[in-house]
Amino acid sequence: MELIIGLIVIIIICKILGVSNFVLILGGLGIIELLIIAMALFFIYYTLHLFFTKKSDANFTKIDLPPKGKFKVAYYMINGEEYPCIFPKESGISSNLYKPDKTYKVRFSKSLKKVYDKWAVITCAIGLTFSIAAIITTLSIIKQLDLFL
């Protein structure tokens, strides 16, 4: 709510100062582009980090909140230690995806002390693909509008 009120105040101040609607729209699109680039950097980081993980066999143990997290994640047991998954669990269909006492192939990150299960790997792949496609699409739109180069 505070974000919306802040944006409204900024827009009103800009209009009082005589900023045109075109410049406001262009600024809004610039902010959206920066968010898309930040999303791509997020997925690039975790996808690159995925390449430096080690394959392991793990048993699914539970779904719970991590100590410093806000979202529930799946926990896996590897060599007697329990580790959380890197990304939050899928909502709504998790009962079909995670079966207790089943051995899963996961990728373990020693530096993060977290696990990439198959759903986290799929999330990285799809997120990276779509965020790069979004960057390419928006940059091609900007180029067609002759606003950038």
Side-chain angles (χ1 to χ4, degrees):
M1 187 66 175
E2 295 87 11
L3 180 67
I4 294 172
I5 294 172
L7 286 173
I8 291 172
V9 169
I10 290 171
I11 291 171
I12 291 172
I13 291 172
C14 287
K15 291 308 288 177
I16 290 172
L17 294 174
V19 177
S20 70
N21 288 340
F22 179 75
V23 172
L24 287 175
I25 291 171
L26 194 60
L29 291 175
I31 290 171
I32 291 171
E33 183 68 22
L34 290 175
L35 290 173
I36 290 171
I37 291 170
M39 180 179 67
L41 291 173
F42 172 84
F43 283 113
I44 288 169
Y45 172 78
Y46 281 106
T47 303
L48 287 176
H49 193 268
L50 178 63
F51 290 122
F52 299 105
T53 57
K54 184 178 94 173
K55 287 184 184 180
S56 298
D57 290 330
N59 292 327
F60 170 75
T61 57
K62 64 182 177 182
I63 293 177
D64 200 7
L65 286 173
K68 295 182 180 178
K70 296 179 183 179
F71 301 104
K72 290 185 176 183
V73 298
Y75 278 83
Y76 292 92
M77 185 72 70
I78 301 174
N79 298 329
E81 295 259 349
E82 194 173 53
Y83 298 102
C85 186
I86 195 89
F87 292 127
K89 75 173 189 68
E90 294 70 23
S91 60
I93 57 173
S94 62
S95 61
N96 296 333
L97 301 178
Y98 303 104
K99 301 204 184 307
D101 302 325
K102 183 178 176 189
T103 301
Y104 291 92
K105 299 280 186 196
V106 297
R107 302 199 56 97
F108 175 63
S109 169
K110 287 183 182 179
S111 61
L112 295 177
K113 298 202 183 319
K114 294 193 181 205
V115 171
Y116 286 85
D117 60 5
K118 66 181 176 180
W119 306 110
V121 172
I122 291 170
T123 300
C124 282
I126 291 174
L128 183 64
T129 303
F130 280 103
S131 59
I132 289 175
I135 289 173
I136 292 170
T137 302
T138 54
L139 289 178
S140 69
I141 290 171
I142 290 170
K143 187 175 179 182
Q144 287 178 357
L145 294 174
D146 288 333
L147 296 174
F148 191 57
L149 297 169

